[in-house]
Short mmCIF file of all heavy atoms in Angstrom, two decimals:
data_model
loop_
_atom_site.label_atom_id
_atom_site.label_comp_id
_atom_site.label_asym_id
_atom_site.label_seq_id
_atom_site.Cartn_x
_atom_site.Cartn_y
_atom_site.Cartn_z
N LYS A 30 -1.63 -11.29 -7.18
CA LYS A 30 -1.99 -12.64 -7.66
C LYS A 30 -1.77 -12.72 -9.17
O LYS A 30 -1.56 -11.80 -9.80
CB LYS A 30 -3.40 -12.94 -7.25
CG LYS A 30 -3.56 -12.88 -5.75
CD LYS A 30 -4.76 -13.59 -5.40
CE LYS A 30 -5.07 -13.40 -3.96
NZ LYS A 30 -5.99 -12.39 -3.76
N ASP A 31 -1.87 -13.90 -9.60
CA ASP A 31 -1.66 -14.13 -11.02
C ASP A 31 -3.00 -14.12 -11.78
O ASP A 31 -3.08 -14.57 -12.91
CB ASP A 31 -0.88 -15.46 -11.28
CG ASP A 31 -1.55 -16.61 -10.59
OD1 ASP A 31 -2.59 -16.43 -9.99
OD2 ASP A 31 -0.92 -17.73 -10.65
N THR A 32 -4.05 -13.65 -11.16
CA THR A 32 -5.29 -13.42 -11.84
C THR A 32 -5.73 -11.99 -11.57
O THR A 32 -5.93 -11.56 -10.44
CB THR A 32 -6.39 -14.36 -11.37
OG1 THR A 32 -6.47 -14.35 -9.96
CG2 THR A 32 -6.09 -15.81 -11.81
N GLY A 33 -5.74 -11.15 -12.59
CA GLY A 33 -5.95 -9.73 -12.47
C GLY A 33 -7.04 -9.26 -11.51
O GLY A 33 -6.91 -8.41 -10.72
N PRO A 34 -8.27 -9.85 -11.57
CA PRO A 34 -9.32 -9.40 -10.74
C PRO A 34 -9.02 -9.48 -9.24
O PRO A 34 -9.65 -8.88 -8.43
CB PRO A 34 -10.49 -10.37 -11.07
CG PRO A 34 -10.18 -10.84 -12.46
CD PRO A 34 -8.71 -10.94 -12.49
N HIS A 35 -8.03 -10.30 -8.85
CA HIS A 35 -7.71 -10.42 -7.44
C HIS A 35 -6.56 -9.54 -7.05
O HIS A 35 -6.20 -9.54 -5.86
CB HIS A 35 -7.31 -11.89 -7.16
CG HIS A 35 -8.45 -12.79 -7.30
ND1 HIS A 35 -9.43 -12.99 -6.34
CD2 HIS A 35 -8.79 -13.64 -8.29
CE1 HIS A 35 -10.31 -13.88 -6.72
NE2 HIS A 35 -9.96 -14.36 -7.88
N ASP A 36 -5.95 -8.81 -7.89
CA ASP A 36 -4.85 -7.95 -7.57
C ASP A 36 -5.34 -6.80 -6.64
O ASP A 36 -6.49 -6.43 -6.62
CB ASP A 36 -4.21 -7.31 -8.78
CG ASP A 36 -3.42 -8.35 -9.55
OD1 ASP A 36 -3.01 -9.33 -8.94
OD2 ASP A 36 -3.14 -8.11 -10.77
N ALA A 37 -4.39 -6.24 -5.88
CA ALA A 37 -4.68 -5.05 -5.13
C ALA A 37 -5.08 -3.89 -6.13
O ALA A 37 -4.51 -3.85 -7.23
CB ALA A 37 -3.51 -4.64 -4.28
N THR A 38 -5.93 -3.05 -5.71
CA THR A 38 -6.35 -1.95 -6.59
C THR A 38 -5.25 -0.86 -6.50
O THR A 38 -4.42 -0.83 -5.60
CB THR A 38 -7.66 -1.36 -6.20
OG1 THR A 38 -7.49 -0.77 -4.87
CG2 THR A 38 -8.75 -2.43 -6.13
N SER A 39 -5.32 0.04 -7.49
CA SER A 39 -4.37 1.20 -7.46
C SER A 39 -4.48 2.02 -6.13
O SER A 39 -3.51 2.42 -5.54
CB SER A 39 -4.63 2.13 -8.68
OG SER A 39 -4.35 1.46 -9.83
N ASP A 40 -5.73 2.17 -5.67
CA ASP A 40 -5.94 2.96 -4.46
C ASP A 40 -5.37 2.19 -3.24
O ASP A 40 -4.82 2.81 -2.36
CB ASP A 40 -7.44 3.16 -4.16
CG ASP A 40 -8.08 4.21 -5.14
OD1 ASP A 40 -7.26 4.95 -5.71
OD2 ASP A 40 -9.31 4.32 -5.18
N GLN A 41 -5.45 0.89 -3.21
CA GLN A 41 -4.89 0.12 -2.12
C GLN A 41 -3.35 0.17 -2.14
O GLN A 41 -2.73 0.30 -1.11
CB GLN A 41 -5.44 -1.34 -2.18
CG GLN A 41 -6.85 -1.47 -1.79
CD GLN A 41 -7.44 -2.86 -2.10
OE1 GLN A 41 -6.96 -3.57 -2.95
NE2 GLN A 41 -8.38 -3.30 -1.25
N ARG A 42 -2.84 0.10 -3.29
CA ARG A 42 -1.34 0.17 -3.41
C ARG A 42 -0.90 1.58 -2.98
O ARG A 42 0.19 1.73 -2.35
CB ARG A 42 -0.90 -0.14 -4.82
CG ARG A 42 -1.04 -1.63 -5.11
CD ARG A 42 -0.76 -1.90 -6.60
NE ARG A 42 0.57 -1.49 -7.05
CZ ARG A 42 1.66 -2.17 -6.92
NH1 ARG A 42 1.62 -3.38 -6.25
NH2 ARG A 42 2.80 -1.74 -7.40
N ALA A 43 -1.64 2.57 -3.36
CA ALA A 43 -1.28 3.92 -2.92
C ALA A 43 -1.37 4.10 -1.41
O ALA A 43 -0.61 4.77 -0.78
CB ALA A 43 -2.22 4.98 -3.60
N ARG A 44 -2.44 3.44 -0.83
CA ARG A 44 -2.58 3.58 0.63
C ARG A 44 -1.38 2.83 1.32
O ARG A 44 -0.87 3.33 2.34
CB ARG A 44 -3.87 2.91 1.07
CG ARG A 44 -5.09 3.75 0.80
CD ARG A 44 -6.35 2.99 1.20
NE ARG A 44 -6.44 2.67 2.61
CZ ARG A 44 -7.34 1.85 3.16
NH1 ARG A 44 -8.21 1.26 2.35
NH2 ARG A 44 -7.37 1.69 4.49
N ALA A 45 -1.01 1.71 0.78
CA ALA A 45 0.14 0.94 1.34
C ALA A 45 1.45 1.81 1.23
O ALA A 45 2.22 1.89 2.18
CB ALA A 45 0.32 -0.36 0.56
N ARG A 46 1.59 2.46 0.10
CA ARG A 46 2.83 3.27 -0.01
C ARG A 46 2.77 4.43 1.01
O ARG A 46 3.77 4.74 1.63
CB ARG A 46 2.87 3.91 -1.46
CG ARG A 46 4.00 4.93 -1.55
CD ARG A 46 4.08 5.53 -2.93
NE ARG A 46 5.16 6.51 -2.93
CZ ARG A 46 5.87 6.81 -4.02
NH1 ARG A 46 5.65 6.22 -5.15
NH2 ARG A 46 6.79 7.77 -3.95
N SER A 47 1.65 5.08 1.12
CA SER A 47 1.49 6.19 2.10
C SER A 47 1.79 5.75 3.51
O SER A 47 2.46 6.47 4.23
CB SER A 47 0.06 6.76 1.98
OG SER A 47 -0.12 7.81 2.89
N LEU A 48 1.32 4.53 3.84
CA LEU A 48 1.58 4.05 5.18
C LEU A 48 3.06 3.77 5.42
O LEU A 48 3.65 4.07 6.42
CB LEU A 48 0.74 2.77 5.42
CG LEU A 48 -0.74 2.93 5.74
CD1 LEU A 48 -1.49 1.63 5.58
CD2 LEU A 48 -0.87 3.44 7.15
N LEU A 49 3.71 3.18 4.35
CA LEU A 49 5.14 2.88 4.49
C LEU A 49 5.95 4.15 4.60
O LEU A 49 6.87 4.24 5.40
CB LEU A 49 5.59 2.00 3.34
CG LEU A 49 5.12 0.60 3.31
CD1 LEU A 49 5.41 -0.06 1.94
CD2 LEU A 49 5.68 -0.22 4.45
N MET A 50 5.58 5.19 3.81
CA MET A 50 6.33 6.47 3.90
C MET A 50 6.08 7.12 5.27
O MET A 50 6.98 7.74 5.81
CB MET A 50 5.82 7.40 2.76
CG MET A 50 6.32 6.89 1.41
SD MET A 50 5.97 8.07 0.04
CE MET A 50 7.16 9.43 0.44
N GLY A 51 4.87 6.96 5.77
CA GLY A 51 4.55 7.52 7.05
C GLY A 51 5.40 6.89 8.15
O GLY A 51 5.89 7.57 9.07
N VAL A 52 5.60 5.60 8.12
CA VAL A 52 6.43 4.91 9.07
C VAL A 52 7.87 5.40 8.99
O VAL A 52 8.57 5.68 9.94
CB VAL A 52 6.36 3.39 8.94
CG1 VAL A 52 7.38 2.67 9.80
CG2 VAL A 52 4.93 2.85 9.27
N ALA A 53 8.37 5.50 7.77
CA ALA A 53 9.77 5.91 7.49
C ALA A 53 10.00 7.28 8.10
O ALA A 53 11.11 7.56 8.61
CB ALA A 53 10.07 5.89 6.03
N LEU A 54 9.03 8.12 7.99
CA LEU A 54 9.21 9.55 8.45
C LEU A 54 8.84 9.72 9.95
O LEU A 54 9.10 10.81 10.48
CB LEU A 54 8.42 10.44 7.60
CG LEU A 54 8.87 10.57 6.15
CD1 LEU A 54 7.79 11.24 5.25
CD2 LEU A 54 10.17 11.32 6.01
N SER A 55 8.19 8.77 10.53
CA SER A 55 7.71 8.90 11.94
C SER A 55 8.78 8.77 12.95
O SER A 55 9.58 7.85 12.96
CB SER A 55 6.63 7.85 12.22
OG SER A 55 6.27 7.89 13.56
N THR A 56 8.83 9.75 13.88
CA THR A 56 9.81 9.64 14.95
C THR A 56 9.30 8.81 16.04
O THR A 56 10.10 8.40 16.99
CB THR A 56 10.12 11.02 15.49
OG1 THR A 56 8.88 11.66 15.90
CG2 THR A 56 10.79 11.94 14.46
N LYS A 57 8.02 8.38 16.06
CA LYS A 57 7.50 7.49 17.08
C LYS A 57 7.78 6.04 16.75
O LYS A 57 7.75 5.21 17.65
CB LYS A 57 5.96 7.71 17.13
CG LYS A 57 5.51 9.05 17.66
CD LYS A 57 4.01 9.07 18.00
CE LYS A 57 3.19 8.84 16.79
NZ LYS A 57 1.72 8.88 17.10
N ALA A 58 7.94 5.72 15.50
CA ALA A 58 8.13 4.30 15.15
C ALA A 58 9.50 3.84 15.45
O ALA A 58 10.49 4.58 15.64
CB ALA A 58 7.89 4.15 13.59
#
């Protein structure tokens, strides 16, 4: 968002990245 307090946290962005990488590497997906 355009107001800092509402942005995703660093931890949340890291979790999102981890999930996306997990999908990319998953043979089940």
